[in-house]
Amino acid sequence: METAGRVTRRRVHTRARLLDAAFAVFAAKGYGRVSIEEVCEEAGFSRGAFYSNFATLDELFFALYQQRADLIAAQVADALAQDGPDLDVPASVDRVTEVLLLDVDWLLVKTDFLVHAARHPVVARALLEHRARLREAIADRLSRARGHTALPAVLGDVDGAAHAVVAAYDGVTTQLLLDRDVETARIWLKQLLTALLTDGSRTPAT
């Protein structure tokens, strides 16, 4: 007879495999063109395994988005925290750009979720909460470092700067989804974020 702990571990493993399979299928085909059977086939499970973890495909999609979005937010916070009390803008921008731009599949899934959320207010609230957490992580880092790195006055405050950073990312990744040119997107995002987070008049130290 299986112990409760073993059953729980097996269920956690099953759920993780379903989420990974769903990510692959949604990225390849798009939300709305995927069936429960396709997710199960990708994961190597039966429909019973699916329904023991999720009631609907919508619930799975929502869980997938939250899992990946929380991971990205944590990675961004991590990347911004590596300079200690000082903020090396170019180095921080490099790290954040690496985290945010390399996964085109994530951008496809995120865009599908955005379209889905635009038609469903409850889902939209979840998306807005994630974006707010991402901005808060950026604003918190900028706030702790502003004694060392002044922000351009036009942004107003650290919250304004955080909004600008997320908006720049949104714009650059829209182009990335169309041309799949990750290197160009990375260059543009680095330039935009550096321009946003400095006064534009600084020259490298000699």
Side-chain angles (χ1 to χ4, degrees), residues 8-81:
T8 300
R9 286 194 300 272
R10 187 176 65 180
R11 182 166 184 177
V12 167
H13 177 68
T14 298
R15 181 182 175 89
R17 281 182 58 183
L18 285 167
L19 287 168
D20 287 344
F23 182 77
V25 176
F26 285 136
K29 301 188 69 173
Y31 184 71
R33 295 186 175 87
V34 173
S35 67
I36 290 174
E37 287 78 11
E38 286 173 302
V39 174
C40 291
E41 182 179 351
E42 179 74 19
F45 290 136
S46 66
R47 287 175 64 95
F50 178 93
Y51 285 116
S52 70
N53 287 274
F54 304 101
T56 64
L57 203 58
D58 278 359
E59 184 181 322
L60 169 61
F61 191 50
F62 187 84
L64 171 64
Y65 178 83
Q66 285 202 306
Q67 178 204 55
R68 299 281 172 153
D70 287 347
L71 174 62
I72 293 292
Q75 288 174 329
V76 169
D78 235 19
L80 289 171

Side-chain angles (χ1 to χ4, degrees), residues 173-201:
T173 54
T174 297
Q175 181 68 24
L176 174 60
L177 280 172
L178 298 175
D179 62 24
R180 302 298 184 96
D181 188 344
V182 175
E183 291 309 312
T184 298
R186 182 182 292 112
I187 290 167
W188 270 108
L189 188 61
K190 286 179 180 179
Q191 291 173 342
L192 283 171
L193 293 185
T194 301
L196 281 169
L197 298 176
T198 67
D199 63 12
S201 64

Side-chain angles (χ1 to χ4, degrees), residues 116-163:
H116 182 59
R119 294 187 173 92
H120 298 84
V122 173
V123 181
R125 283 197 295 274
L127 180 56
L128 288 170
E129 287 169 6
H130 160 66
R131 289 172 69 83
R133 287 197 303 275
L134 185 59
R135 289 195 304 269
E136 285 166 9
I138 296 169
D140 177 65
R141 183 66 185 96
L142 293 175
S143 178
R144 286 186 286 115
R146 65 182 168 182
H148 304 271
T149 303
L151 294 172
V154 70
L155 294 176
D157 56 16
V158 292
D159 290 327
H163 273 83

